[in-house]
Amino acid sequence: VVPLLVYPILMIVISQLGIAQVEKLKAAKARVAVVPQEAPPSLLEKLASDSTIVVVPSTHPERDLTERALDAVIQIPAGFEANLASLDSAVINVRVDLSRDRGERMSERIRSFLVEWREEMVTARLAERDLPPQFVKPFTVQIENVAGEKKMGGSIVGRILPFFLVVMMMSGALYPAIDVTAGERERGTLETLLVVPAKRFNIVLGKFL
């Protein structure tokens, strides 16, 4: 009953719970605070137009981030717009709590958002100089999988099989342990086993065999 029913049921339940949690995180909006609140207008406009991110006004962003009232804090450095105007570069710091699954997921979302905003700036700079977008992309990389279906199937099985082997190895000691105690007691042979002139190691080894 245990290997045939309980293990598959546990696997299905755990996987479904994991999928439900991932879908819940995908549907959730990232709660973000911008520091300082007088951020570049282009950033605020893009944040307002993004349906997956909501800007939360916060007077104590670090405390709110620690108390999980925020998912991330976007820190805009001083002189950021001046650096952009002079075609210089700057660093935007995104503070997140990566000890939480939500924090890791939201950090990826915010990073993608900021990369998209950066690409829009690059496109605008190129347009000002009458340069095509391909100017900054001399080539693209395309990954092609050369493994067939048989190899991919073997790879998936190779990842799952060790898990089942470990579980079965850990649960394998359960049945001899039950038989050594409850089994002998139920059969009324526990006392007899205890007075047998055999070493304990031999008795345990015989049970496992």
Side-chain angles (χ1 to χ4, degrees):
V1 173
V2 172
L4 293 178
L5 293 180
V6 176
Y7 291 158
I9 291 175
L10 283 176
M11 290 292 294
I12 293 173
V13 171
I14 292 174
S15 63
Q16 290 299 319
L17 289 176
I19 293 173
Q21 184 67 17
V22 170
E23 294 297 328
K24 183 179 179 181
L25 287 177
K26 287 182 179 179
K29 293 185 177 182
R31 300 164 300 176
V32 176
V34 181
V35 179
Q37 297 185 8
E38 296 78 15
S42 57
L43 174 60
L44 297 178
E45 291 176 3
K46 187 165 181 61
L47 283 171
S49 63
D50 196 308
S51 60
T52 63
I53 299 176
V54 56
V55 178
V56 179
S58 175
T59 56
H60 300 87
E62 293 296 331
R63 185 185 65 187
D64 292 341
L65 183 62
T66 304
E67 295 177 354
R68 301 184 177 183
L70 291 173
D71 296 318
V73 176
I74 300 178
Q75 294 181 333
I76 306 297
F80 179 77
E81 293 185 274
N83 289 338
L84 295 182
S86 61
L87 301 182
D88 202 351
S89 181
V91 177
I92 294 180
N93 190 25
V94 180
R95 299 180 60 84
V96 294
D97 183 1
L98 294 180
S99 65
R100 303 167 54 206
D101 291 338
R102 181 184 177 96
E104 184 175 357
R105 173 74 64 173
M106 296 308 173
S107 67
E108 295 175 358
R109 181 182 299 175
I110 295 169
R111 179 183 177 86
S112 300
F113 167 83
L114 292 175
V115 168
E116 183 179 348
W117 183 45
R118 182 182 62 188
E119 291 178 352
E120 290 181 359
M121 287 186 179
V122 172
T123 302
R125 288 182 176 182
L126 292 173
E128 291 176 357
R129 289 154 183 79
D130 295 328
L131 294 173
Q134 293 79 10
F135 180 78
V136 294
K137 294 181 180 179
F139 65 89
T140 58
V141 179
Q142 180 178 353
I143 305 299
E144 183 178 354
N145 185 10
V146 298
E149 294 182 359
K150 187 175 181 180
K151 280 189 176 182
M152 291 302 298
S155 175
I156 295 174
V157 172
R159 296 172 185 173
I160 298 176
L161 189 59
F163 171 78
F164 282 102
L165 288 177
V166 171
V167 171
M168 294 304 294
M169 288 171 61
M170 294 174 62
S171 63
L174 177 65
Y175 304 105
I178 293 174
D179 185 69
V180 167
T181 55
E184 295 291 347
R185 184 185 62 194
E186 293 298 326
R187 290 191 295 268
T189 56
L190 184 60
E191 294 82 358
T192 307
L193 184 66
L194 292 176
V195 298
V196 168
K199 295 182 179 180
R200 294 181 179 179
F201 175 77
N202 295 334
I203 295 175
V204 174
L205 182 62
K207 286 289 183 182
F208 272 86
L209 292 177

